[in-house]
Amino acid sequence: MTMADYRLNTKQQEAVEATEGRVKVVAGAGSGKTSVLVHRYAYLINELGVNPDNILCMTFTNKAATEMKNRIAKLTNSYNVNDFVCTIHGFCVKFIRKEGYRIGFPKNFSILDEEDEKALAIQVMDGCGISRSKETVKDFLRNISSDKNNSPYIADLWVGKPENISSYSETFCKYVMKQLKSFSLDFKDLIKLTIYILENFEEARLFWQDKLNYIMVDEAQDCNGEEWSIIEMLSVIYQNLFIVGDPDQCIYEWRGAKPEYYVNFKADKLIILDENYRSTPNILNVANSIIVHNKMRIEKNLTTNLTKGKIVLHYHGKDEKDESDWIAKQIKNLIDAGATPKDFAILYRASYLSRSIEQALVKNDLQYTIWGGIRFFERKEIKDSLAYLKLLAFEDDLSFIRIINLPKRSFGKASMEKLQAIAEEKQCSLMNALRQNIKSPEFNKEPLKKFLALFEKAKKLSNKVSLSDLFDYMLTESGLKEELRFTADEERLENIAELASSIKYYEELNENEDDIALEAYLQDIALYTNADYKKEGFSIKLMTIHQSKGLEFPYVFVCGLSEGIFPNHRSIRERRKNGEEEERRLMYVAVTRAEKALFLTESEGFNRATQSNKYPSRFLMEIGSNLLKVEGNIDPTLLEGTKNLVKQIDNEITLHSNIVKFAVGDKVEHAVFGIGEIIEATPERDSYKVLFEKGKRNLVGRVLKHI
């Protein structure tokens, strides 16, 4: 536990004791917001006698939820902390488990991760004869996501309004109906389905509104509009809604989060936590001098009682190699002086910027880790192993396709096509189709009989043995464990061992449950992200600034600070001033990750982002000269180049803002495609989806005319 866990400052204590009504806490970076949340939770239980079953505390990541549970348990002398300390998606899973029956949705639904979504997309694309040379899987899924965002598909396709089906494309219908067939939800569906049930079933809505006496939301600035809708609906009766966040750290506008949701939240009480426990005054002064240029924020000025610390260094390199070599040299010097590799983080706006840095680190024999490599649960050997459990639990087609020939069972493409045709005709799962047709000449093979027998025995065992024993049985009896030992390298075998350990750990965490359901385990792990499972290790961390959110390091290097790269000009062009402000918030996040020392670097050369010479970022020019020590000779013409680039972008924004904007339903004309109708509009990006006689087109507004 940190010092803040034992001694709260005046404002933190005020927040803890503000239990009634709508309370907004603006928690600056490093101001102890987690301490406030856990102490408030404990205060509700210990001092007010509130039942934990009546408290919902929503966090942004599973890692944060786990940390909070552990700290709450210590403060309440209880290790049986309520399940309602979770992410918003975690809450939706629990909600749908209980309320899904109202629309005929079972408890044992599965959750699609990114790889599952891609596999499903490929199935639909192949089934519809869509060439992946014309439309990538990524583009296909982006269109599916867009259609989900802008349609009542749950009401029309899942619950059932046949008269409305004609308004959806064939591919969208097939995709979401395949989901429904196997009761598989993606993260967007979890939110959408929860909203649908809350809005359409008064009994369910009143139950949850009455149950949740107190609602707390961590990182509230990162909630999108639909998530805010759930939060507001749940808090209607008691109005005890406690939100904690910082609009200056809202960096997820691309997923729908907008700082104005938080800024405009109507609160009975506003509390600002502006004492920082993480960074030195020199670092905070730099952070404050940058973020003050934003308009969509709640004014605050971070302060600290820590010693002044080292002045922030700005290094100007002659080229990327020079910049990278300087970073490596600084790290090496600090390690020689007593620091350890794990004390360092190198942050960048885009992943490609790591290349030259990696080369410099290797040259200097410095151990490093790329944060955000392949996610643990997305590694092939892990997905293969879990697919056996998923097929046992859900009998879903995606898992069946993945493992029917793993290990080899003489089940080729022709056999799969035959089985898929049977399943389509009988409207059943592939597993059930195989079960019903195992005696037919096509499928009457010993490996397939053993495959079915494995799952029949596993079903019987599932009620008698632990999850970890069931997992071991499936891997051993299927032959997958033997194949992995024969073909896999040491790392893959270690990953399987780690998975087995995680299942045992899950059992230990839920030892008070009467029955640890396989379905519940699979649903829970599907919510986890890379950041939740990544082992920190003892190496230097390289990561994007987005990945650094919520982390802190003694020494932080922010590299690639060239205008166009950071801030990203594409972001500014697409979203104009909103884009510029989000880029500045991203810079603020990067700066406030540093505890002891901060290094800002950029270099000369050619800028791929702007297709011109590189110039220092505008963010460097926003920092007072007294707050920075500059190393490297910056030609004054380079600073003029920055000003000219900024002016150029501003002129483009002004020109762009004069472009005619359209709304859904508007009739428009295009010089080539003819007359069409706007069916989806994003005016702030000058982006529109238009339905023409010959199909849909995604177009910019400047090529369209009102008719």
Side-chain angles (χ1 to χ4, degrees), residues 6-53:
Y6 296 102
R7 188 177 58 219
L8 301 176
N9 65 38
T10 304
K11 290 182 179 178
Q12 289 173 331
Q13 191 65 43
E14 182 186 1
V16 166
E17 296 177 2
T19 61
E20 309 306 303
R22 293 164 65 89
V23 181
K24 176 161 66 178
V25 177
V26 182
S31 63
K33 69 176 180 65
T34 304
S35 289
V36 167
L37 283 160
V38 298
H39 276 85
R40 187 177 189 270
Y41 194 107
Y43 183 84
L44 288 170
I45 296 171
N46 295 339
E47 302 299 324
L48 301 190
V50 179
N51 191 323
D53 289 345

Side-chain angles (χ1 to χ4, degrees), residues 364-377:
N364 285 273
D365 198 28
L366 292 167
Q367 192 177 8
Y368 70 91
T369 300
I370 299 288
W371 192 271
I374 298 174
R375 297 177 181 180
F376 181 82
F377 285 101

Side-chain angles (χ1 to χ4, degrees), residues 149-268:
N149 272 335
N150 296 283
S151 69
Y153 68 96
I154 290 176
D156 291 347
L157 302 180
W158 284 4
V159 179
K161 292 183 181 177
E163 66 273 14
N164 294 331
I165 291 178
S166 59
S167 63
Y168 295 88
S169 69
E170 179 190 8
T171 53
F172 182 76
C173 283
K174 284 192 174 181
Y175 185 92
V176 297
M177 293 311 288
K178 274 186 175 290
Q179 279 190 259
L180 185 61
K181 177 186 169 184
S182 58
F183 297 111
S184 302
L185 303 177
D186 61 25
F187 277 41
K188 191 180 297 294
D189 299 326
L190 291 173
I191 299 292
K192 290 275 189 181
L193 192 53
T194 298
I195 290 174
Y196 179 84
I197 294 173
L198 284 170
E199 288 182 341
N200 291 276
F201 294 90
E202 185 181 24
E203 185 182 13
R205 183 172 67 252
L206 290 174
F207 171 83
W208 287 96
Q209 287 174 341
D210 185 59
K211 179 180 178 63
L212 301 174
N213 296 185
Y214 294 89
I215 298 174
M216 302 160 66
V217 185
D218 187 21
E219 301 285 8
Q221 80 282 343
D222 292 326
C223 294
N224 62 32
E226 289 180 328
E227 291 163 352
W228 276 110
S229 176
I230 291 173
I231 292 164
E232 290 284 11
M233 271 195 283
L234 292 174
S235 63
V236 161
I237 292 180
Y238 295 98
Q239 290 290 312
N240 291 328
L241 180 53
F242 184 87
I243 67 168
V244 182
D246 183 6
D248 289 340
Q249 298 185 71
C250 180
I251 59 173
Y252 294 105
E253 282 205 52
W254 47 271
R255 62 175 292 278
K258 295 180 180 179
E260 47 263 45
Y261 291 142
Y262 183 91
V263 172
N264 297 332
F265 176 85
K266 301 294 186 204
D268 301 316

Side-chain angles (χ1 to χ4, degrees), residues 415-432:
S415 298
M416 179 61 78
E417 288 175 350
K418 176 85 172 177
L419 191 65
Q420 285 177 321
I422 294 171
E424 192 74 26
E425 182 183 342
K426 297 196 173 186
Q427 285 294 294
C428 65
S429 68
L430 292 172
M431 187 71 165
N432 206 25

Side-chain angles (χ1 to χ4, degrees), residues 286 289-290 294 561 563 566-568 572 579-588 600 616-624 628 642:
V286 167
S289 70
I290 294 168
N294 273 6
L561 278 163
E563 189 65 23
F566 194 19
N568 182 286
I572 295 175
E580 181 185 347
E581 291 212 353
E582 184 174 36
E583 290 292 304
R584 190 172 284 109
R585 291 194 295 270
L586 199 57
M587 179 67 177
Y588 179 80
L600 310 175
S617 168
R618 69 182 73 183
F619 297 150
L620 290 167
M621 299 178 68
E622 290 174 354
I623 303 169
L628 286 177
T642 300

